[in-house]
Amino acid sequence: MRYESEQLREYMKGSNRTVAVTGAGISYLYGMRRLKQSVGLMNSRQVLSPSFVRSNPDEFYRIVKTSFLDATFIKGPSEVHKQLATLEKCGLLYGIVTQNMDCLHTIAGSKNVVEFQGSFQDNICVDCGTRHFGYKIWNHGHTPTCEKCGSPLMPTMFCRENKIAEQVSKESMTKASEMISEADLVIIIGTTGFRSDEYLKKMRKGTRLVQINPSETQLDQIADWNIHADAAEVLGEVMDEWERPRNVL
């Protein structure tokens, strides 16, 4: 795998703006269910509605805790989350576009993150509609409540009966598309391409697309280069190789 990591390192050295696109593959092995699985379960039980949250705040919390929050607050960021945060801090990565809702990129230290599926950082009151920001309010063992009226909160993107959710969704996808359109190197990690057509079509001509995924995906056909290996190992070697010349100097 040394060749792959060295080549990726050279790509990053020659890039003016590198953007990473991440999916459930970097989270679900650490306790996170895949997004489609979790949201499908919630839809089938009509959980994604203000009326359900209003009437069943304890049950709502139990469900999101199992599906999302245990991974966020108990498991914490994976090695890939930490590596991407370090790459951004070093100036080698411009930003991250993620379909994940677990806030783990932020917890790991990444600053420029677009969560185009939403996350537990953006919440809304099921009654008065007041917005509340910050994921830490979900780490108190119960569904958080509105400071204004005392009613339960739910992630804004879950609240599909509210027009704000639709607006937030459009704004998030616009931000993701803009970040992709500004990149000359896009590294896709741990996703099979969920909703990728909505942002990858914004790539500029000549932008290099690299996929890192142990398994083949629908992105194999459009990527310039596919690295079928564990992302933590690949990025670890990239970082090792990056540090080596600097240490010599």
Side-chain angles (χ1 to χ4, degrees):
M1 199 193 319
R2 182 64 65 179
Y3 168 77
E4 285 83 355
S5 60
E6 290 178 351
Q7 187 62 55
L8 181 57
R9 171 179 175 256
E10 292 304 310
Y11 285 167
M12 296 180 74
K13 280 180 63 177
S15 169
N16 292 316
R17 181 163 292 189
T18 299
V19 171
V21 177
T22 67
I26 70 168
S27 295
Y28 84 98
L29 291 177
Y30 297 85
M32 177 69 66
R33 291 182 178 178
R34 291 190 182 277
L35 181 62
K36 289 182 180 180
Q37 179 185 9
S38 295
V39 173
L41 174 64
M42 292 179 179
N43 273 325
S44 67
R45 301 182 61 178
Q46 298 182 329
V47 173
L48 299 180
S49 71
S51 59
F52 181 92
V53 178
R54 188 183 298 112
S55 302
N56 307 276
D58 293 339
E59 177 67 5
F60 179 73
Y61 183 81
R62 186 189 68 78
I63 293 172
V64 297
K65 180 178 184 296
T66 300
S67 299
F68 297 100
L69 301 180
D70 281 349
T72 297
F73 296 117
I74 297 177
K75 297 292 184 179
S78 69
E79 188 63 27
V80 177
H81 291 101
K82 297 173 184 177
Q83 290 166 332
L84 292 174
T86 299
L87 289 170
E88 180 185 358
K89 185 177 180 180
C90 294
L92 308 178
L93 182 69
Y94 173 71
I96 298 169
V97 172
T98 185
Q99 72 185 50
N100 299 336
M101 306 178 72
D102 49 34
C103 306
L104 290 175
H105 283 299
T106 298
I107 295 173
S110 294
K111 304 298 183 183
N112 194 14
V113 182
V114 177
E115 299 162 321
F116 70 83
Q117 289 289 108
S119 77
F120 287 83
Q121 300 199 76
D122 184 346
N123 307 285
I124 190 168
C125 175
V126 299
D127 282 327
C128 71
T130 299
R131 300 277 288 283
H132 297 257
F133 299 93
Y135 65 88
K136 292 181 181 179
I137 61 175
W138 290 94
N139 194 24
H140 299 296
H142 57 78
T143 296
T145 55
C146 178
E147 295 178 355
K148 184 175 180 179
C149 72
S151 296
L153 304 180
M154 66 186 301
T156 302
M157 291 284 278
F158 282 2
C159 191
R160 296 178 180 176
E161 296 176 12
N162 194 308
K163 291 184 179 180
I164 293 178
E166 181 179 352
Q167 176 184 338
V168 171
S169 178
K170 290 181 179 179
E171 290 174 354
S172 298
M173 187 54 73
T174 296
K175 290 180 181 178
S177 298
E178 288 176 351
M179 188 181 288
I180 293 295
S181 70
E182 295 170 349
D184 53 18
L185 173 61
V186 176
I187 306 173
I188 298 184
I189 307 172
T191 178
T192 58
F194 181 54
R195 294 185 67 181
S196 61
D197 58 323
E198 295 182 61
Y199 51 84
L200 289 185
K201 65 183 179 183
K202 299 296 183 179
M203 284 176 48
R204 295 178 300 177
K205 185 177 180 180
T207 296
R208 179 177 280 119
L209 181 64
V210 176
Q211 178 186 211
I212 306 175
N213 199 314
S215 305
E216 293 185 2
T217 75
Q218 66 186 43
L219 298 172
D220 279 57
Q221 302 303 314
I222 64 172
D224 295 292
W225 190 32
N226 294 293
I227 304 176
H228 290 306
D230 180 84
E233 294 183 21
V234 175
L235 295 180
E237 290 187 356
V238 167
M239 294 169 69
D240 287 344
E241 290 294 327
W242 200 282
E243 288 294 330
R244 194 168 298 163
R246 293 167 59 185
N247 290 336
V248 172
L249 294 174

